[in-house]
Amino acid sequence: MMSNLFSSFDPSTSIFSFSINWMSTLIGVLLISCLYWLSPSRTNFIWNNSNLTLNAEFKILLGKNSNLGMTIMFISLFCMIMLNNLLGLFPYVFTSSSHMVFTLSIALPLWISFMMYGWMNIFPHMFAHLVPNSTPNVLMPFMVLIETISNIIRPLTLAVRLTANMIAGHLLLTLIGNTGPTMNFNMMIIMLIMQMALLVLESAVAIIQAYVFSVLSTLYSSETY
């Protein structure tokens, strides 16, 4: 039963031995065309205001010593994850952000680049992060070990957090939807109302998880300069 339950997250659809499920990751690129309209639309207005709000917030998180243009990377990261999360709510669209292949391939290169930049350029500052202020001398070796482990598992926690949250909501929607054929008319109406409420909740979760992923990446990068 468990293999059948999780089979909805298995990228198995293919044409000529090429998996087309992952093509949903690139569907969001089609939305870029709205930026080239001669007359700005409401969608373009909302998109630009959202980007400006994110830019101002990420600047605060990065601090005054951040390099120019760093916010563009994290805004792009937020938009890509959010679009993939929202596209996964449509019927017959593969949710790429529910797989560790997708999430870890984003989190791991970010973490490696931050660590390499920090340890190669500001070695004393990075080493000082391993020992918090006012730590007793007896606990310093243990704190260094704990902080080192916490830094190493950061990409894994980022990837697992996004994957687990996306899988949990989709599994709940699948479980409720599979009980529909066995229900009478009144129970089916209640089930549809529950499905609609869960769909709205999952839409909010999709945006929140993209925001959390990008904010945590911003905070991790702020420690490397």
Side-chain angles (χ1 to χ4, degrees):
M1 179 179 178
M2 291 302 293
S3 62
N4 293 333
L5 184 61
F6 285 92
S7 62
S8 59
F9 301 98
D10 185 21
S12 57
T13 303
S14 62
I15 295 180
F16 301 113
S17 300
F18 176 72
S19 178
I20 63 173
N21 293 278
W22 297 101
M23 293 298 293
S24 62
T25 308
L26 304 175
I27 294 179
V29 179
L30 300 176
L31 301 176
I32 297 176
S33 59
C34 67
L35 299 177
Y36 298 98
W37 290 355
L38 182 62
S39 178
S41 63
R42 293 181 180 179
T43 305
N44 195 10
F45 178 76
I46 295 173
W47 189 263
N48 289 336
N49 283 344
S50 301
N51 289 339
L52 290 175
T53 303
L54 290 171
N55 181 54
E57 186 163 351
F58 288 158
K59 277 186 176 180
I60 296 173
L61 295 175
L62 290 171
K64 298 180 180 178
N65 298 325
S66 62
N67 298 323
L68 294 176
M70 283 193 66
T71 56
I72 298 176
M73 178 179 67
F74 296 107
I75 292 173
S76 303
L77 180 66
F78 168 80
C79 295
M80 183 184 68
I81 296 175
M82 182 189 68
L83 287 173
N84 280 279
N85 292 346
L86 292 175
L87 284 171
L89 298 176
F90 288 92
Y92 306 107
V93 177
F94 174 68
T95 311
S96 56
S97 56
S98 65
H99 280 258
M100 288 289 291
V101 175
F102 177 83
T103 56
L104 195 59
S105 64
I106 297 175
L108 191 59
L110 281 175
W111 177 80
I112 292 176
S113 60
F114 295 154
M115 290 296 103
M116 290 182 61
Y117 177 83
W119 286 102
M120 293 174 63
N121 293 279
I122 48 172
F123 181 83
H125 179 74
M126 294 294 293
F127 195 76
H129 268 292
L130 299 178
V131 182
N133 294 329
S134 304
T135 302
N137 295 333
V138 180
L139 297 178
M140 281 185 180
F142 299 100
M143 292 305 299
V144 171
L145 180 61
I146 293 171
E147 289 295 325
T148 302
I149 294 174
S150 66
N151 285 333
I152 292 174
I153 65 173
R154 278 179 177 179
L156 185 62
T157 56
L158 277 176
V160 171
R161 180 185 291 108
L162 179 58
T163 301
N165 281 280
M166 297 311 299
I167 284 181
H170 285 67
L171 279 180
L172 189 58
L173 288 170
T174 303
L175 286 172
I176 296 176
N178 288 339
T179 59
T182 61
M183 292 182 178
N184 55 32
F185 181 77
N186 294 330
M187 292 300 297
M188 191 173 294
I189 296 296
I190 297 175
M191 185 202 69
L192 289 175
I193 295 174
M194 291 177 61
Q195 287 276 54
M196 292 174 64
L198 283 173
L199 194 60
V200 174
L201 179 63
E202 278 301 300
S203 301
V205 169
I207 299 173
I208 291 172
Q209 289 305 314
Y211 178 76
V212 169
F213 192 101
S214 56
V215 165
L216 288 177
S217 302
T218 305
L219 293 175
Y220 294 158
S221 68
S222 64
E223 298 178 0
T224 60
Y225 50 83

